[in-house]
Amino acid sequence: MKKMAKPRLAVWKFASCDGCQLSLLDCEDELLAVADVVEIANFAEASREIQPGPYNISLVEGSITTPHDAERIHKIRRDSGLLITIGACATSGGIQALRNWKDVNEFFSLVYGSPHFIETLKKSTPISDHVFVDYELRGCPVNKYQLLEVLNAFLNQRKPNIFPHSVCMECKANKTTCIMVAKGIPCMGPVTHSGCGALCQSFNRGSFGCYGPKEATNTNSLGGHFKELGMSGDGVMRIFRNFNASAEPFRKESEAHEK
Amino acid sequence: MLEALQHNGWTIIGPKVQDGVIVLDEIQSVDDFPIGYSDRQGPARYRLTRRANKAVFGYNVGPQSPKAVLHAARKVIWRGKKNDLKSQETAEPLPHIAFVGIRPCELKAILIQDDVLLRGPYGDAFYAARRKNLFFIVVNCGQAGGTCFCASTNSGPKADSGFDLSATELMGNDDHRFLMQAGSRRGEELLASLPARPVTEEDLKESGALFAHAVETMGRTLDTHGLKELLYQQLENPRWQEVAERCLGCGNCTSVCPTCFCSTVEDWTSLDGSEARRERRWDSCFSVDFSYIHGGSIRQTGMSRYRQWMTHKLAAWQDQFGTLGCVGCGRCITWCPVGIDITEEAAAIRSSAQQKEALDGND
Ligand code: SF4
Ligand code: SF4
Ligand code: SF4
Ligand code: SF4
């Protein structure tokens, strides 16, 4: 039997911290197994060499914040079979979407020595606002096991085992005590997409909502409950406005508590 | 007693303080039990407290139930290789487990899960294997918690059957003792090996008073009279929409419920596709995918998902398995992050139905 050519994988970066790409590097042992089954055609974190497209699978990290990037993503879409976004930036605009509530021009003079070199868009937007996305992997950063699972599932042509239900379901499966009920600590778990394995809760911290909204969220009810737990309106606004600030249900809830 | 069980090869699982709650875990010695602890429970609220006395079982149920052991949250149920699809999942030898200190409602929940998972042509082989070689020492409740309502569902505060041994903790007259009853041959044998004296009138009076006190102080009640018919008639009651506005759809209630049995399966492969495994994990009727059939999910709204949960527990379960699907343990009330109370919802639907009936009658 003729050996089939390996699928070609490319990893792309837009406005992001590189944390999600590092999750892929962090796979170490598994990365060798990945390299066995795919040809890594572009992965700047691992090698400077960029091979030309087309690519069977493109992993896209980061959000769109500049006119140049808004162009670049279209080229990547054209060159890619499957386009999978990884992480909060690429799927909801990321922490940099906080600029969406401010005038970005005001930041320039504060941050940059020569602001006239900067060309940027008013908003930080997810990849899916610009091109069709085949699959979105959540997290800030993504969980490396979930990243491998998505690649694995696409390579083996099956459904990825990634679930849109709450973090609470993971908490309960792990037998982690609910810190909101037992300690009164506000937790975003009931409105947040699973995937982290309920990490924070096992260290007595409430969820930060890193994986963005779960399916069918009821942020309004949880926002109200946070207040009953003693959180200020400003506190509720802030807890919904972080890594996934621009994701629709979180955006609405944070705006509802804005003074 | 614990030593006698351990000597006979039983792994003991019982209550233990961990992370500020009372959980079920492996017990090595009496010191592991929550001696001198109690709890205060209400909707969306649980706090561990200290007691004035050294009662060993002076608390009510925590977040976990024996379900976590007998019908675990995750389980590999099949493993195979490419071109050799025979299951290679080898049944690991299961430890013989003695549950010490579980409550009457928890025992009742196990009997209900037995009805669901063992009977009929499609019994669950994994549950059946785990269900073998268990020993139950149930501890009756002399006090009830803020969210308990087992007296309404006939599942406590005293266990009638299904146990090997039952115990009631008595502390009257500064005499800390247990009133024991055997429910099986094995229980009788264990009891015979323990230092004991015959039961007195005094003991029975004290335990009777405790049960009466537990029933009286039960934090919740559920009127089960005609409940099934009521709920079936009220599928369009506006109350469902009201509760859906509070419900987060988080699935905490079904996870902590000792009778909820629903699960789904996931298929995993090795990266090169040469090996695969199938895992079963808890699912919940609060997930949208739960009612997915070709083309989409049937229960699209939070309202229909909440209604599914409550009507299954309190109505459809009776048609399916001949009992309520609820043992009144109160976990779903305590561990719901926003404190939705199944007894309050049932009562609200009943009273709005009655009001409507009264109005219609006046016409
Ligand atoms: S700790 Fe947070 S994630 Fe865990 S069950 Fe409670 S609310 Fe849900
Ligand atoms: S429905 Fe609630 S009260 Fe009834 S058995 Fe389940 S968790 Fe306990
Ligand atoms: S209430 Fe929901 S999760 Fe529980 S047994 Fe019924 S359908 Fe399953
Ligand atoms: S009733 Fe409570 S615990 Fe159950 S899904 Fe709704 S919010 Fe979550």
Side-chain angles (χ1 to χ4, degrees):
Chain A
M1 199 172 79
K2 191 171 160 282
K3 208 167 173 331
M4 286 216 298
K6 289 197 236 173
R8 306 181 75 227
L9 176 77
V11 185
W12 306 98
K13 175 186 162 60
F14 287 81
S16 61
C17 74
D18 284 29
C20 291
Q21 293 190 63
L22 287 177
S23 303
L24 187 57
L25 270 189
D26 190 32
C27 293
E28 289 176 12
D29 302 344
E30 298 93 338
L31 198 56
L32 291 176
V34 172
D36 265 352
V37 285
V38 299
E39 177 194 339
I40 300 180
N42 172 30
F43 185 16
E45 284 279 1
S47 151
R48 216 176 298 169
E49 191 186 356
I50 300 186
Q51 295 168 19
Y55 315 98
N56 298 80
I57 302 177
S58 274
L59 298 178
V60 178
E61 176 198 82
S63 68
I64 304 293
T65 56
T66 68
H68 171 68
D69 279 353
E71 286 298 315
R72 190 160 62 101
I73 188 64
H74 282 280
K75 164 113 177 60
I76 291 171
R77 174 71 270 189
R78 277 196 301 277
D79 285 350
S80 310
L82 287 169
L83 192 155
I84 301 170
T85 60
I86 56 173
C89 300
T91 53
S92 78
I95 189 82
Q96 59 272 28
L98 288 178
R99 67 151 75 167
N100 300 2
W101 283 271
K102 301 279 180 210
D103 180 2
V104 72
N105 291 313
E106 280 178 21
F107 297 141
F108 290 159
S109 49
L110 293 173
V111 178
Y112 297 102
S114 314
H116 49 279
F117 288 127
I118 308 291
E119 200 189 5
T120 190
L121 298 169
K122 282 205 169 61
K123 291 195 169 186
S124 166
T125 46
I127 301 298
S128 61
D129 275 11
H130 301 264
V131 296
F132 178 79
V133 172
D134 293 286
Y135 196 84
E136 292 186 324
L137 183 62
R138 308 286 200 85
C140 187
V142 292
N143 171 336
K144 70 172 187 176
Y145 297 106
Q146 285 208 321
L147 184 54
L148 281 170
E149 165 58 10
V150 170
L151 283 176
N152 182 328
F154 279 104
L155 291 169
N156 287 298
Q157 300 186 6
R158 62 174 172 85
K159 192 170 145 210
N161 290 307
I162 308 274
F163 307 103
H165 58 59
S166 68
V167 177
C168 301
M169 298 273 289
E170 299 188 294
C171 234
K172 286 291 177 286
N174 296 347
K175 301 187 190 171
T176 302
T177 295
C178 176
I179 52 171
M180 193 142 73
V181 168
K183 294 176 187 158
I185 300 172
C187 177
M188 287 281 279
V191 295
T192 301
H193 192 291
S194 71
C196 59
L199 196 62
C200 285
Q201 293 78 353
S202 62
F203 292 97
N204 254 313
R205 296 293 309 246
S207 162
F208 292 91
C210 308
Y211 282 61
K214 76 169 185 74
E215 60 180 13
T217 40
N218 186 348
T219 47
N220 186 29
S221 172
L222 188 63
H225 186 64
F226 285 162
K227 284 190 165 166
E228 279 167 27
L229 290 177
M231 208 182 228
S232 66
D234 193 53
V236 180
M237 187 271 277
R238 281 166 194 278
I239 199 171
F240 278 97
R241 193 173 290 178
N242 52 31
F243 316 108
N244 291 283
S246 231
E248 191 65 2
F250 286 9
R251 180 184 67 73
K252 278 196 181 146
E253 192 57 24
S254 78
E255 286 175 354
H257 297 275
E258 206 161 30
K259 278 194 228 66
Chain B
M1 183 180 76
L2 295 184
E3 278 158 25
L5 284 167
Q6 280 160 337
H7 181 76
N8 287 325
W10 295 94
T11 298
I12 298 170
I13 292 192
K16 198 187 225 179
V17 173
Q18 203 176 298
D19 292 337
V21 294
I22 292 168
V23 299
L24 287 179
D25 200 1
E26 194 170 335
I27 299 290
Q28 304 297 343
S29 75
V30 175
D31 299 334
D32 288 342
F33 285 130
I35 300 170
Y37 279 96
S38 190
D39 53 54
R40 250 199 335 269
Q41 300 192 38
R45 196 178 160 86
Y46 180 107
R47 293 292 183 275
L48 200 61
T49 55
R50 299 299 298 226
R51 304 177 60 90
N53 62 24
K54 290 237 173 287
V56 185
F57 299 103
Y59 56 85
N60 294 99
V61 293
Q64 291 149 23
S65 71
K67 178 174 88 168
V69 178
L70 302 182
H71 185 52
R74 299 197 77 91
K75 168 112 191 72
V76 176
I77 57 173
W78 182 91
R79 228 180 259 279
K81 287 200 164 74
K82 202 169 191 168
N83 305 323
D84 178 11
L85 292 182
K86 209 162 76 262
S87 177
Q88 277 145 28
E89 178 60 7
T90 43
E92 72 267 43
L94 296 168
H96 293 200
I97 292 177
F99 284 101
V100 178
I102 61 166
R103 298 300 189 176
C105 61
E106 301 183 295
L107 185 62
K108 179 81 177 282
I110 293 171
L111 301 179
I112 289 178
Q113 285 218 323
D114 286 353
D115 274 333
V116 176
L117 297 169
L118 294 180
R119 317 263 184 269
Y122 305 110
D124 181 327
F126 301 97
Y127 182 81
R130 181 55 284 178
R131 189 64 180 81
K132 283 196 195 119
N133 302 316
L134 300 177
F135 197 102
F136 294 116
I137 301 181
V138 61
V139 176
N140 295 319
C141 290
Q143 63 173 57
T147 56
C148 292
F149 56 102
C150 65
S152 305
T153 54
N154 258 331
S155 32
K158 179 178 180 300
D160 298 325
S161 60
F163 50 79
D164 293 292
L165 274 182
S166 89
T168 307
E169 186 169 26
L170 303 177
M171 309 201 72
N173 302 329
D174 285 332
D175 180 15
H176 193 180
R177 61 209 192 279
F178 288 91
L179 178 64
M180 308 291 290
Q181 185 189 347
S184 71
R185 169 73 62 81
R186 294 186 308 186
E188 270 169 29
E189 282 165 13
L190 179 60
L191 195 52
S193 73
L194 303 175
R197 62 163 172 77
V199 175
T200 64
E201 273 302 307
E202 196 66 14
D203 298 330
L204 288 177
K205 233 168 97 191
E206 192 180 335
S207 72
L210 280 176
F211 298 143
H213 170 74
V215 171
E216 249 163 59
T217 54
M218 213 152 273
R220 297 281 181 282
T221 53
L222 175 73
D223 181 357
T224 57
H225 180 76
L227 189 54
K228 181 180 93 175
E229 294 73 19
L230 172 79
L231 292 176
Y232 282 164
Q233 282 157 13
Q234 296 298 319
L235 295 177
E236 303 300 331
N237 194 299
R239 181 74 186 193
W240 300 115
Q241 188 50 45
E242 286 164 37
V243 65
E245 271 156 33
R246 293 172 62 209
C247 176
L248 304 162
C250 60
N252 272 303
C253 47
T254 59
S255 300
V256 293
C257 179
T259 65
C260 273
F261 54 85
C262 288
S263 58
T264 183
V265 290
E266 326 167 332
D267 292 325
W268 299 80
T269 49
S270 61
L271 203 53
D272 63 5
S274 64
E275 287 171 31
R277 69 175 194 281
R278 172 164 283 193
E279 280 187 24
R280 182 183 69 192
R281 71 172 173 94
W282 287 350
D283 201 354
S284 165
C285 52
F286 283 96
S287 354
V288 179
D289 274 355
F290 182 86
S291 65
Y292 183 91
I293 55 164
H294 178 79
S297 292
I298 299 171
R299 297 189 201 100
Q300 288 284 347
T301 60
M303 196 266 309
S304 59
R305 292 188 288 271
Y306 186 86
R307 190 176 57 190
Q308 160 64 23
W309 138 264
M310 199 169 112
T311 54
H312 190 210
K313 305 257 70 160
L314 303 180
W317 206 294
Q318 300 191 42
D319 286 334
Q320 276 180 292
F321 309 111
T323 61
L324 278 176
C326 171
V327 295
C329 71
R331 285 186 179 87
C332 58
I333 306 172
T334 300
W335 299 99
C336 170
V338 289
I340 292 173
D341 177 345
I342 190 167
T343 64
E344 186 187 330
E345 295 312 310
I349 286 189
R350 190 183 288 278
S351 82
S352 95
Q354 282 164 351
Q355 270 171 24
K356 184 153 186 308
E357 214 171 281
L359 281 177
D360 291 351
N362 285 342
D363 280 349

